[in-house]
Amino acid sequence: MVATPKTPKRPTGRDADASADPADEVYIHLSDRDRDAVLKTIDSESQPNDALRSVAERYRKRYG
């Protein structure tokens, strides 16, 4: 797993006015097994568990 920065870098210069999400700038390299697990989760109809909801809420508080 690749560590992500606590505070995403904000665009500077000509990209400062861009409305892109800073999280789009983080690249994570996954193994084939992990990639398959992520894609399977995205395609599934299951609801997020408590841990995922907690992480999502923490992200929203930190980054808006």
Side-chain angles (χ1 to χ4, degrees):
M1 179 174 6
V2 177
T4 57
K6 289 186 178 184
T7 305
K9 291 173 32 179
R10 299 290 177 199
T12 59
R14 68 181 184 151
D15 296 328
D17 295 329
S19 62
D21 182 359
D24 291 340
E25 298 177 13
V26 177
Y27 295 95
I28 300 173
H29 298 279
L30 300 174
S31 67
D32 290 343
R33 179 187 62 130
D34 292 341
R35 180 206 61 218
D36 292 342
V38 168
L39 293 175
K40 181 179 177 183
T41 302
I42 290 171
D43 290 339
S44 74
E45 301 270 336
S46 62
Q47 297 295 316
N49 63 16
D50 291 337
L52 182 57
R53 282 191 214 104
S54 172
V55 170
E57 182 62 29
R58 187 173 56 206
Y59 180 87
R60 280 192 288 271
K61 286 180 182 178
R62 285 184 183 174
Y63 305 115

